[in-house]
Amino acid sequence: MIFLFCILPYTQGVKAQHNELEQAFNKAFRYHYSNKDSAYFYYEKTIRLAKKQNELDYVLNGYIYLMNANGYYYDLKNYQKNLKLEDSLLTYDKRFESLQSYSYYKDYLLFDKGNYHYKIKDYATSKKYFQELFTKLNAVPQNKQTKNDLLTLSSLYSFLGTIYKHTGKYELAEYNLKKDITLVSKHRDSIDEWESSIMNSEKLLSQVYEDKKDFKAANLLLTKALAFYKKKEKDPSFKNRILSTYLLLAKNYIQQDKFQLAITTLDESGHIYSEDNPFSRDVDLIYGDAYLGLKNYSQADAYYRDGLLKIKKYREYQKHQDIAIAYAKLGNLFMKQQKIANSLKQYQLALIQLEKNFEDLNYNSNPIPENVLSKRVLITILKEKLNALFEAYTITKNVDYLKTANKTSKTIIKTLDVLRPEFESKLDKEFLVSETYPTIEKMVEISYKLYQHSKENKYIDDAFFYMEKSKSIALLEAHRNAEATKYGNIPSYIISEEQIYRAKISRLDEDIFNSNSKEKSVLVDSLFATKKNYYEYIAKIEHDYPKYYELKYKSTVITAPELKKELNSNQSVFSYLVAENAIYLIVTTQNNDTFYKLASNETLKNTISDFYRQLSNPTLEDRTAYVKNGNLIYKAIVEPTLKNNKTSDIVILPDDVLNYLPFDVLQTDVNNEKSYLLSKYSISYASSATLLQEQNKTNVKSSNKLMVFAPHFNKLVSEKKENQERYDMSPLVYNSQEAKNISAYFQGTIYDGKKASIANFKNNSGDYNLIHFATHASANDEFPDYSYLAFENNDDNSNLLYAKDLYNYQINADMVTLSACQTGFGKLQKGEGMLSLARAFNYAGVPSIVTTLWKISDQSTSEIMKSFYKNLSDGLSKKEALRQAKLTYLNSNDDAFLRHPYYWSGIIITGNTMPLQTTNYVLWVISIFAGILIIWLIYTKLFKRFK
């Protein structure tokens, strides 16, 4: 949106030498919104007369108004031509430098360049120009900002917000649009048409909500905007805004399957536009979408084809992503009618529009992702093509369609790899993964069907590849970022600067979370200014240090054959993917891999939920309620894999609701308490096989040093519950004893009482390779970044270490044990797993995490931890040490209630499970004695031989 009155004062202030010049300009302005040809004619006449009369202000304002008309009518060819002409005048004609308003014209030229590139959807270039102007205007002190400055800043906020929306950066999009609304509301007395400006930004904000699938919030904003704009129908300058709001509202209804309401909304807008209106091609496509929803295929076809022709003509028959989108809509239409050949042809025509040198009509081929005009549009069309190919197979049973679909799957993955570095925000990266996840499910299903047809292992390898590409990508990127920082040849002072940025962002984020409404606005501004500077700083590092960039964005994942080489003969990796109506499972062993499609439905998901509730909240009335569900789950997702599998060591790569399961408590026999999987199998977990591979490369320290945190909390509280749970912030009866018990097996330091502070953790953790927290914790389902570990209360500082704080730590420990409540529990994020404290420690670089799935018992946890650390000191692997500790606990308790899985099964281990370097001094003594004995025997034998 461009505010013409922003430049009007300059024009009105010019006194023309001849009335003819003034009359030409006034006539042009009169036709500005109503008659394109007349407006063009009189603006061009104004420029000619102004040049002849040396009225330099009129020359430049003539161009500015003419380009505004070009933009209003979406006449981009003339917009570009006039932009070059004005740029040339300001760059090479020295006369214009004498103008009092010269600086303003230079600024407006930046604005016009940004607007032009925005309209041709070159968002990177557009952002560059807008950002340059924004930086300049924002540097002006608020008390010196003019009305024109405020108007331009408002436009810049809305443009930048929309650019971020179009590039999938929703966090920044929402911030900029809300910032514009705040700015205009604050300065409403200085801004003409301030209400219109707010409505415009709210309308744009609705599109952010719509992309994030919050259709209700989007609809509320659009309905409000339309009601406002309807009052302005008689003002021609509002025509485009009114029409665009109608179109957005119609699209919103289509997203909610309210197709007839969408048509009614479009019909209502009919009186506003004519066939030559720049929005008419959009109207056609939206009508087509609505009629397609109603299965009125002939009407949909007619509208799509009209829209396609108009877009082609508008884009001068040159390749463009808008043409690609129109072709893709025709592809969807034909697919709905099961006209497979026609559908695939349209998708291929769509793909051809996205790459300059791609002309292949054979649907077996796809463009090169690095070369396309829009990677986001490419992914959208490829996903639609993939679905069409799968549907074609479903109808025809022709396996060739599946093979082409599998090839298309790989192009989608490659496009995602190319696109991912463009996403700066952690939230936007997670949203990208979650949006792509349903397509990953389709890819795995296609691979499974191909495997069923051919029994070729290459399709298991493909499915495994797709699964790995969907698992914990953000976590893997964090790990690789840490490695890139270490080995990317970056000077230490640059790394320090980055850490300062991250620490400041974390602190501001926490301040906002805990602030009141009055403080929040200032803090949010500071946060986003810091984030913007941080992203720019990182972009500079990535540009200046290519090795760092290469390591950080390395997109490779471990393959199934590579994984086999890393497994022992008794090991299996179970990689799960939970789809809508099935659970796919690939079991990989040293010599074999098998591919399963397991039945899944809401009943199974409810059974898992019930099972988790029964484990985490035991009741005296029914101590064995969990048994039946545990056996049902075992039969559904584990039993088929163990029939011919001689494994004893299992790594679980869970997905979706399976993240809630401690697998070792599943029972093979409902009538036998000792039939837990725990009794036969050593079980651990990993976020992905790729991440596990990288965690296993961690160099284990040659000697062990243990750091234990055991806060006392409020020692004055007299009531001490014997069955204490580590979540309610009251004193923990057994944590001090737990600290002493485990310290008997490893040298180190106990930080208890006042010493158990966040400061001591932050300042001293680098000296230890084993860190143990025996404390309180809490999982925050709604805001997972605010799950926390509790340290000793300190009046001066917070005693809570939030998950988000750990994103800024670099912890070099071999293992962290979170002996606290729900440290492995959190919000489920599609593709990323459980957003928990344990995951935050993974972010910080810890390769091995012992964690808990629910609110654990203080006493039983203390007993299990004592055995666990003893077993570690004896040289057992971490997973076997934990398994044996649980078995010891079970075998030492005669009370059936205390053997309930609540007391022992919620403790799990994730990541690297290799043994620590042993520090069992008894073993050392035995080893030394054995060595001396061997030497003595050899010496004696040699002595006798040569005597």
Side-chain angles (χ1 to χ4, degrees):
M1 172 180 168
I2 297 181
F3 296 95
L4 283 176
F5 41 81
C6 186
I7 58 170
L8 195 58
Y10 290 105
T11 304
Q12 291 176 334
V14 176
K15 293 183 178 179
Q17 295 176 3
H18 302 286
N19 286 336
E20 187 181 5
L21 173 58
E22 210 170 278
Q23 289 171 357
F25 178 82
N26 289 337
K27 284 184 177 179
F29 189 73
R30 189 185 314 142
Y31 290 117
H32 192 97
Y33 296 108
S34 57
N35 189 310
K36 181 176 79 170
D37 293 338
S38 296
Y40 283 13
F41 175 81
Y42 285 109
Y43 280 134
E44 288 166 356
K45 183 177 180 180
T46 298
I47 294 167
R48 286 196 307 273
L49 290 170
K51 284 180 177 179
K52 186 176 180 180
Q53 298 171 16
N54 202 35
E55 291 286 357
L56 301 182
D57 277 299
Y58 257 107
V59 171
L60 295 178
N61 282 311
Y63 274 116
I64 289 173
Y65 274 77
L66 177 56
M67 284 187 287
N68 181 269
N70 296 153
Y72 181 80
Y73 293 106
Y74 279 77
D75 181 0
L76 301 184
K77 185 177 180 179
N78 278 311
Y79 200 153
Q80 183 186 38
K81 179 192 77 175
N82 292 318
L83 191 59
K84 287 180 178 179
L85 289 171
E86 187 191 13
D87 192 6
S88 178
L89 289 176
L90 288 172
T91 304
Y92 300 111
D93 194 330
K94 300 300 180 183
R95 293 179 302 159
F96 290 94
E97 294 179 10
S98 63
L99 292 175
Q100 182 181 355
S101 51
Y102 177 74
S103 177
Y104 172 80
Y105 290 124
K106 293 284 285 185
D107 289 348
Y108 212 89
L109 181 63
L110 283 175
F111 190 95
D112 266 328
K113 286 180 177 179
N115 188 30
Y116 168 74
H117 285 282
Y118 173 83
K119 282 182 164 56
I120 64 171
K121 301 189 177 181
D122 178 4
Y123 297 123
T125 306
S126 176
K127 180 188 169 189
K128 182 186 75 173
Y129 288 122
F130 283 139
Q131 192 63 58
E132 183 181 344
L133 181 55
F134 178 85
T135 301
K136 180 178 179 180
L137 292 179
N138 202 45
V140 178
Q142 286 191 8
N143 60 346
K144 293 185 178 180
Q145 286 177 343
T146 65
K147 176 179 179 179
N148 294 327
D149 292 338
L150 293 172
L151 290 168
T152 308
L153 277 171
S154 172
S155 286
L156 291 171
Y157 272 125
S158 64
F159 266 118
L160 288 168
T162 311
I163 288 169
Y164 285 127
K165 179 264 177 191
H166 284 307
T167 52
K169 299 174 182 179
Y170 299 113
E171 186 183 18
L172 289 171
E174 189 169 346
Y175 168 76
N176 278 275
L177 293 170
K178 286 184 175 178
K179 186 64 182 174
D180 180 36
I181 293 166
T182 302
L183 175 75
V184 174
S185 298
K186 181 179 178 181
H187 298 285
R188 61 178 65 183
D189 293 338
S190 302
I191 296 177
D192 298 332
E193 298 287 352
W194 63 269
E195 286 180 289
S196 175
S197 180
I198 288 175
M199 288 301 155
N200 182 65
S201 287
E202 287 189 345
K203 181 177 71 174
L204 296 172
L205 185 60
S206 76
Q207 299 312 284
V208 178
Y209 293 151
E210 194 155 294
D211 279 5
K212 294 170 74 173
K213 313 301 182 190
D214 189 350
F215 303 121
K216 185 176 180 181
N219 188 273
L220 286 172
L221 290 177
L222 289 170
T223 304
K224 177 183 174 185
L226 185 59
F228 172 81
Y229 285 138
K230 280 182 175 179
K231 300 173 185 175
K232 305 280 187 177
E233 278 193 27
K234 293 182 180 179
D235 186 339
S237 67
F238 279 87
K239 184 169 66 174
N240 281 358
R241 273 174 271 177
I242 298 170
L243 182 56
S244 65
T245 308
Y246 270 115
L247 302 190
L248 291 174
L249 190 57
K251 288 168 69 176
N252 178 270
Y253 288 134
I254 290 168
Q255 291 275 18
Q256 300 177 73
D257 295 337
K258 299 176 180 178
F259 304 114
Q260 191 57 58
L261 193 53
I263 291 170
T264 302
T265 303
L266 291 171
D267 289 345
E268 189 179 321
S269 70
H271 67 284
I272 299 173
Y273 71 94
S274 56
E275 280 300 305
D276 64 348
N277 186 283
F279 284 100
S280 65
R281 55 188 175 273
D282 296 321
V283 173
D284 287 335
L285 295 184
I286 299 168
Y287 262 122
D289 290 343
Y291 281 111
L292 179 61
L294 292 173
K295 299 182 180 180
N296 187 336
Y297 300 131
S298 59
Q299 282 282 71
D301 185 276
Y303 276 112
Y304 283 151
R305 291 188 185 280
D306 283 350
L308 176 61
L309 288 173
K310 289 174 184 175
I311 294 169
K312 281 184 172 183
K313 183 179 178 181
Y314 176 64
R315 297 295 177 187
E316 298 182 316
Y317 301 95
Q318 299 297 309
K319 290 186 176 184
H320 194 274
Q321 64 193 63
D322 288 353
I323 302 175
I325 291 168
Y327 272 124
K329 288 180 181 295
L330 280 167
N332 294 340
L333 168 64
F334 286 125
M335 205 62 233
K336 291 285 186 183
Q337 300 173 80
Q338 297 191 352
K339 296 178 180 179
I340 298 166
N342 287 343
S343 173
L344 291 172
K345 180 182 177 182
Q346 300 305 316
Y347 287 129
Q348 207 60 25
L349 286 167
L351 294 173
I352 286 171
Q353 295 298 319
L354 294 176
E355 187 188 334
K356 183 179 180 181
N357 298 317
F358 182 69
E359 300 289 348
D360 197 342
L361 278 169
N362 186 333
Y363 61 78
N364 280 291
S365 62
N366 295 304
I368 299 170
E370 291 89 344
N371 298 343
V372 298
L373 302 171
S374 170
K375 300 176 192 68
R376 287 173 61 82
V377 173
L378 174 62
I379 283 181
T380 299
I381 294 172
L382 286 174
K383 288 196 296 187
E384 290 169 350
K385 178 181 175 181
L386 184 77
N387 290 331
L389 288 164
F390 184 78
E391 184 68 19
Y393 161 76
T394 304
I395 295 167
T396 66
K397 302 304 178 186
N398 184 341
V399 180
D400 287 340
Y401 285 121
L402 284 181
K403 291 178 180 178
T404 303
N406 195 42
K407 188 176 179 181
T408 302
S409 297
K410 292 175 181 176
T411 307
I412 293 173
I413 293 294
K414 188 174 182 181
T415 309
L416 283 170
D417 288 339
V418 174
L419 183 63
R420 192 169 284 112
E422 298 180 11
F423 287 75
E424 295 134 344
S425 160
K426 182 170 74 72
L427 291 174
D428 290 334
K429 287 175 183 176
E430 290 173 356
F431 184 77
L432 175 66
V433 172
S434 65
E435 279 292 280
T436 311
Y437 199 83
T439 305
I440 298 286
E441 293 176 5
K442 184 69 71 179
M443 294 175 187
V444 173
E445 184 178 6
I446 288 164
S447 299
Y448 180 79
K449 289 188 178 297
L450 282 167
Y451 175 68
Q452 290 297 103
H453 279 287
S454 68
K455 298 302 178 186
E456 293 183 60
N457 274 27
K458 67 179 183 179
Y459 295 118
I460 300 181
D461 296 345
D462 286 344
F464 184 84
F465 171 75
Y466 301 141
M467 286 185 181
E468 282 296 296
K469 279 294 186 178
S470 73
K471 289 181 182 288
S472 297
I473 295 301
L475 189 55
L476 180 61
E477 187 177 298
H479 178 86
R480 286 177 171 170
N481 184 38
E483 293 297 299
T485 303
K486 288 179 189 175
Y487 306 114
N489 298 329
I490 301 177
S492 58
Y493 73 91
I494 290 180
I495 296 171
S496 298
E497 186 75 15
E498 182 194 354
Q499 290 170 342
I500 290 169
Y501 270 121
R502 290 167 63 185
K504 186 176 180 181
I505 288 169
S506 181
R507 190 183 71 250
L508 286 167
D509 205 21
E510 185 175 334
D511 289 344
I512 290 168
F513 185 78
N514 295 315
S515 67
N516 58 44
S517 56
K518 291 182 180 179
E519 301 169 325
K520 188 164 288 188
S521 176
V522 174
L523 290 170
V524 167
D525 287 348
S526 182
L527 172 65
F528 276 87
T530 305
K531 279 186 175 182
K532 175 179 168 295
N533 293 335
Y534 173 63
Y535 296 149
E536 289 173 354
Y537 188 77
I538 292 299
K540 187 176 187 306
I541 295 174
E542 292 174 354
H543 178 270
D544 294 346
Y545 298 92
K547 185 176 180 181
Y548 169 83
Y549 182 91
E550 180 186 348
L551 290 170
K552 179 177 179 179
Y553 293 114
K554 184 173 68 171
S555 59
T556 55
V557 294
I558 190 172
T559 64
E562 288 169 343
L563 178 61
K564 287 180 185 179
K565 293 177 183 178
E566 299 197 1
L567 298 179
N568 298 324
S569 59
N570 67 329
Q571 276 187 307
S572 292
V573 174
F574 288 24
S575 184
Y576 287 94
L577 184 134
V578 178
E580 188 174 352
N581 297 310
I583 295 176
Y584 293 95
L585 169 60
I586 295 176
V587 178
T588 308
T589 64
Q590 192 180 66
N591 300 313
N592 192 25
D593 45 18
T594 46
F595 199 177
Y596 301 91
K597 182 180 180 181
L598 308 171
S600 178
N601 51 39
E602 283 304 311
T603 302
L604 178 61
K605 291 179 181 179
N606 291 335
T607 300
I608 291 171
S609 297
D610 289 343
F611 186 58
Y612 178 86
R613 177 181 49 77
Q614 291 160 350
L615 295 182
S616 58
N617 291 293
T619 61
L620 287 168
E621 292 76 21
D622 190 352
R623 301 178 183 184
T624 60
Y626 63 89
V627 173
K628 180 181 177 183
N629 283 337
N631 182 249
L632 287 172
I633 296 166
Y634 165 75
K635 288 182 175 180
I637 66 171
V638 177
E639 185 180 48
T641 73
L642 295 179
K643 288 179 180 178
N644 299 311
N645 192 333
K646 297 180 180 179
T647 188
S648 61
D649 182 331
I650 300 174
V651 180
I652 304 290
L653 310 180
D655 183 45
D656 201 62
V657 295
L658 303 186
N659 282 279
Y660 292 118
L661 286 177
F663 277 67
D664 57 7
V665 78
L666 299 179
Q667 285 182 259
T668 61
D669 185 349
V670 291
N671 298 312
N672 183 0
E673 186 188 59
K674 294 186 178 181
S675 69
Y676 292 126
L677 293 185
L678 177 75
S679 64
K680 290 180 63 177
Y681 302 98
S682 187
I683 297 174
S684 65
Y685 305 82
S687 298
S688 73
T690 305
L691 186 60
L692 180 62
Q693 180 195 41
E694 299 198 4
Q695 289 170 333
N696 284 341
K697 291 177 182 176
T698 305
N699 293 322
V700 178
K701 309 299 184 294
S702 58
S703 60
N704 297 303
K705 196 173 179 185
L706 175 66
M707 180 185 218
V708 184
F709 284 88
H712 293 165
F713 299 104
N714 185 4
K715 281 289 186 182
L716 299 177
V717 176
S718 58
E719 181 183 358
K720 295 182 178 181
K721 295 184 287 183
E722 287 301 309
N723 195 27
Q724 181 83 29
E725 290 180 334
R726 297 187 176 184
Y727 74 100
D728 60 3
M729 287 301 189
S730 57
L732 293 167
V733 180
Y734 295 97
N735 74 331
S736 293
Q737 187 60 47
E738 179 179 318
K740 292 175 184 176
N741 287 342
I742 66 176
S743 296
Y745 301 103
F746 294 92
Q747 290 185 335
T749 308
I750 297 175
Y751 290 84
D752 59 355
K754 292 293 182 183
K755 292 186 292 183
S757 65
I758 291 179
N760 275 334
F761 169 62
K762 186 174 183 179
N763 296 332
N764 302 316
S765 60
D767 298 331
Y768 302 85
N769 73 309
L770 303 175
I771 304 175
H772 184 100
F773 296 94
T775 183
H776 288 302
S778 179
N780 190 325
D781 239 2
E782 186 176 3
F783 303 104
D785 281 355
Y786 287 91
S787 300
Y788 63 77
L789 275 176
F791 288 73
E792 187 68 22
N793 290 311
N794 186 321
D795 294 336
D796 298 326
N797 299 296
S798 169
N799 69 320
L800 305 181
L801 179 70
Y802 293 110
K804 68 171 190 60
D805 298 326
L806 290 162
Y807 300 148
N808 301 318
Y809 280 61
Q810 186 58 44
I811 303 172
N812 295 316
D814 293 323
M815 183 180 78
V816 166
T817 301
L818 303 172
S819 183
C821 287
Q822 295 182 307
T823 49
F825 179 89
K827 181 180 179 180
L828 277 178
Q829 173 79 47
K830 274 287 188 184
E832 283 300 314
M834 199 86 80
L835 306 185
S836 64
L837 273 165
R839 185 171 180 272
F841 274 98
N842 278 148
Y843 254 93
V846 181
S848 180
I849 312 285
V850 178
T851 187
T852 60
L853 290 175
W854 51 72
K855 298 170 183 177
I856 57 175
S857 163
D858 186 27
Q859 182 178 3
S860 64
T861 302
S862 180
E863 293 176 28
I864 291 170
M865 288 301 167
K866 178 182 178 181
S867 297
F868 173 57
Y869 277 86
K870 177 187 180 301
N871 296 337
L872 285 173
S873 72
D874 287 340
L876 294 182
S877 71
K878 300 183 192 81
K879 65 195 302 183
E880 185 60 20
L882 183 58
R883 173 177 173 260
Q884 292 296 337
K886 291 179 179 180
L887 289 171
T888 298
Y889 172 81
L890 281 172
N891 294 333
S892 63
N893 271 293
D894 295 329
D895 187 333
F897 187 65
L898 291 177
R899 293 199 304 273
H900 189 285
Y902 159 77
Y903 291 98
W904 57 269
S905 69
I907 305 168
I908 63 172
I909 185 163
T910 302
N912 179 319
T913 64
M914 291 185 286
L916 300 169
Q917 292 291 331
T918 181
T919 55
N920 188 315
Y921 299 110
V922 174
L923 286 178
W924 275 108
V925 171
I926 293 171
S927 299
I928 292 169
F929 178 77
I932 293 171
L933 181 62
I934 291 168
I935 293 169
W936 182 80
L937 289 170
I938 293 171
Y939 173 78
T940 304
K941 191 171 183 179
L942 289 172
F943 180 77
K944 286 179 179 180
R945 178 180 297 178
F946 294 104
K947 189 173 179 180

